[in-house]
Amino acid sequence: MVLNSFSNLAFLTSVLVISLHLPHRALSSSHGGFLLEDKVARPPAAGMCAAAAATLHGYKCQEFQVTTDDGYILSVQRIPEGRTRVRRGHIRPPVLLQHGILVDGMTWMLNTPQQSLATVLADNGFDVWISNTRGTRFSRRHLTLDPTDPEYWNWTWDELVTHELPSIIGFVFKQTGHKIHYVGHSMGTLIALASLSNRKLHNVKSAALLSPVAYLTHMKTDLGIVAANVFVGEILTTMFGMAEFNPKGDAVAMFLNALCAGSGLNCYDMLTVLTGKNCCLNASTVHTTLKNEPQPTATKNLVHFAQTFRYGVLSKFDYGNANFEHYGESTPPVYNLSNIRRDFPLFLSYGGQDALSDVQDVATLLEILKPHKKDKLQVQYIKHYAHVDFVLGTTAKDIVYNQIIAFFRRHNK
Ligand SMILES: *[C@@H]1O[C@H](CO)[C@@H](O)[C@H](O)[C@H]1NC(C)=O
Ligand SMILES: *[C@@H]1O[C@H](CO)[C@@H](O)[C@H](O)[C@H]1NC(C)=O
Ligand SMILES: *[C@@H]1O[C@H](CO)[C@@H](O)[C@H](O)[C@H]1NC(C)=O
């Protein structure tokens, strides 16, 4: 699928393609398509904490609702403490985990508690908050709109930058009274970088960016490239309309199937095709993941990613002839990453096998960050890691998460 960058498109498509090869495809259960809210997307009444109970093994988990300033009602979870005791009087610094595209916050809790970032942080004395982007199964309500309304899906990551992220951060800050550490994966890194370039990331102390995505020009994902080139303007009006992109719906399955057939790609091993050769996934976790993910997003969001890939510049959504009407200029405004404050603590971790967050594109980002204060920028390169290893890798705790914890502690003033 699409497009680019995001995380777990991969999963998404692996489900789809596998399903397409089976006679009793799971997809048939959600026929009716795109605009109908399907079973998969509807939240269980008890929310994500209940859904995650099997992997949370007795960790405290709390559910919150956050209403964004553009009316979306999001589900946010909190794991306020770990299973290990910390000394009395210790303040637990809040950390917000922001997942990538086509997945939801559950991805941070799918491995064992000793391996998953959410529980590892809790056990290390952090107060862990997990967000779920609009449109994913636990975050499908809105003050006035319903997911069956096309307007509900009228957004891209621009709106996550201007409305969603500030609303969530404001909420966590208000609840805890402390500035926040941020962890983003894939699209979660993109919206943080864009917010930082606008100097709009208030009440955030530091950020750890895993599989950073800002430039996509060198993306190695063949299917992503094909899709990005297909996913141009007209698709908005013809094939999908302004609508939900539901990876578990028939329309998307047919689209991907046609794309794979038409391009001669071997789409059987989608996870690898889309995200690179992940070294360190647990087969049993991948199985659970396929049951939980992928999650819907807005078609318009995917079109925006396709633009990012094609243009090589990070800018707001390109409305073509209507740019003037939207922005008062003929081209969309650019997110200028040179404007990121040089003393903002940033931790970047990227992988040599990552097909979405390509090494060359990360190099472009690092070049822009060159003037950053040396003691405020920590960069980690993991040769054998691909896109999904950062979230679901069984070795990620030892290789990446311990570094993040040390980094947050160092920048906890
Ligand atoms: C979508 O949002 C844009 C601005 O963000 C607005 O100009 C446009 O009218 C909206 N379209 C629909 C169909 O709601
Ligand atoms: C793989 O996942 C299962 C189920 O969570 C777990 O019991 C097992 O210990 C994991 N294996 C590794 C190598 O992490
Ligand atoms: C981005 O900002 C830098 C420094 O503020 C400036 O020199 C550069 O021209 C800007 N680039 C764009 C494309 O606006």
Side-chain angles (χ1 to χ4, degrees):
M1 126 163 138
V2 145
L3 323 183
N4 343 315
S5 96
F6 359 90
S7 357
N8 304 333
L9 272 237
F11 289 130
L12 124 34
T13 354
S14 57
V15 175
L16 289 168
V17 173
I18 291 164
S19 305
L20 290 168
H21 289 89
L22 299 172
H24 303 294
R25 358 177 291 177
L27 287 169
S28 57
S29 63
S30 64
H31 64 91
F34 247 6
L35 289 176
L36 297 180
E37 197 174 357
D38 65 33
K39 288 193 189 70
V40 178
R42 189 169 301 144
M48 186 182 284
C49 285
T55 53
L56 282 178
H57 301 286
Y59 283 77
K60 269 190 201 163
C61 180
Q62 302 165 350
E63 299 276 350
F64 293 85
Q65 267 182 22
V66 176
T67 304
T68 66
D69 60 9
D70 55 347
Y72 290 83
I73 302 169
L74 309 175
S75 157
V76 170
Q77 287 74 39
R78 177 191 205 183
I79 302 177
E81 57 190 49
R83 294 191 298 194
T84 47
R85 300 186 71 85
V86 295
R87 72 191 145 70
R88 207 183 285 193
H90 168 83
I91 291 171
R92 295 176 175 277
V95 180
L96 175 67
L97 307 185
Q98 174 61 58
H99 61 80
I101 196 169
L102 296 174
V103 295
D104 64 13
M106 186 80 110
T107 48
W108 302 110
M109 309 185 267
L110 288 171
N111 270 329
T112 68
Q114 293 76 28
Q115 296 169 335
S116 295
L117 182 58
T119 38
V120 165
L121 284 170
D123 281 338
N124 279 276
F126 292 90
D127 175 10
V128 181
W129 295 76
I130 298 163
S131 66
N132 294 277
T133 296
R134 55 188 62 187
T136 58
R137 68 192 143 160
F138 299 104
S139 292
R140 290 175 69 86
R141 285 179 304 139
H142 186 279
L143 292 177
T144 56
L145 300 170
D146 186 88
T148 55
D149 299 326
E151 296 94 278
Y152 179 94
W153 300 101
N154 186 13
W155 55 269
T156 81
W157 53 265
D158 285 334
E159 280 69 32
L160 306 184
V161 171
T162 39
H163 301 291
E164 186 161 303
L165 189 55
S167 297
I168 296 171
I169 288 171
F171 180 85
V172 175
F173 180 67
K174 216 170 146 192
Q175 290 285 324
T176 61
H178 297 288
K179 288 194 178 187
I180 297 158
H181 296 288
Y182 179 93
V183 181
H185 178 238
S186 198
M187 183 177 74
T189 70
L190 174 65
I191 60 178
L193 289 166
S195 304
L196 286 166
S197 79
N198 288 341
R199 309 245 170 141
K200 291 276 169 59
L201 205 58
H202 302 308
N203 294 323
V204 176
K205 258 191 273 204
S206 76
L209 307 181
L210 311 180
S211 290
V213 169
Y215 302 98
L216 291 165
T217 316
H218 296 95
M219 179 175 72
K220 297 278 194 304
T221 305
D222 291 338
L223 183 61
I225 293 166
V226 172
N229 286 318
V230 168
F231 243 107
V232 282
E234 69 248 288
I235 212 166
L236 259 186
T237 48
T238 55
M239 190 158 178
F240 295 110
M242 175 87 70
E244 174 172 6
F245 187 90
N246 181 353
K248 293 182 178 172
D250 281 353
V252 172
M254 279 159 52
F255 168 68
L256 290 174
N257 205 25
L259 212 57
C260 288
S263 61
L265 293 173
N266 173 7
C267 292
Y268 208 79
D269 181 6
M270 270 300 166
L271 188 60
T272 300
V273 169
L274 286 167
T275 66
K277 272 203 179 77
N278 295 285
C279 61
C280 303
L281 306 183
N282 178 340
S284 142
T285 303
V286 170
H287 181 76
T288 318
T289 305
L290 293 174
K291 281 197 290 186
N292 285 287
E293 317 294 347
Q295 292 296 314
T297 189
T299 299
K300 187 177 176 184
N301 189 29
L302 296 180
V303 173
H304 194 182
F305 270 102
Q307 292 175 353
T308 307
F309 166 70
R310 287 150 56 93
Y311 301 175
V313 174
L314 204 58
S315 56
K316 291 203 174 217
F317 188 79
D318 187 356
Y319 286 95
N321 292 336
N323 280 333
F324 210 86
E325 183 186 316
H326 283 92
Y327 306 120
E329 314 166 32
S330 59
T331 54
V334 168
Y335 292 100
N336 188 343
L337 298 182
S338 302
N339 292 335
I340 294 177
R341 263 182 29 218
R342 288 171 192 185
D343 60 352
F344 182 84
L346 273 178
F347 174 92
L348 262 65
S349 187
Y350 67 109
Q353 305 299 315
D354 195 329
L356 295 174
S357 178
D358 186 82
V359 170
Q360 273 178 275
D361 290 327
V362 175
T364 306
L365 174 62
L366 292 175
E367 185 62 31
I368 292 176
L369 293 175
K370 235 178 181 165
H372 215 78
K373 284 196 167 165
K374 293 287 163 283
D375 61 334
K376 304 289 180 179
L377 178 64
Q378 185 177 336
V379 178
Q380 180 183 37
Y381 171 64
I382 308 168
K383 200 170 169 209
H384 58 291
Y385 260 33
H387 207 66
V388 182
D389 287 316
F390 289 93
V391 179
L392 294 180
T394 52
T395 57
K397 170 172 189 294
D398 290 335
I399 298 177
V400 188
Y401 304 162
N402 286 344
Q403 302 280 330
I404 294 177
I405 289 164
F407 177 81
F408 285 166
R409 288 187 178 143
R410 230 176 10 258
H411 296 284
N412 198 39
K413 285 175 287 311

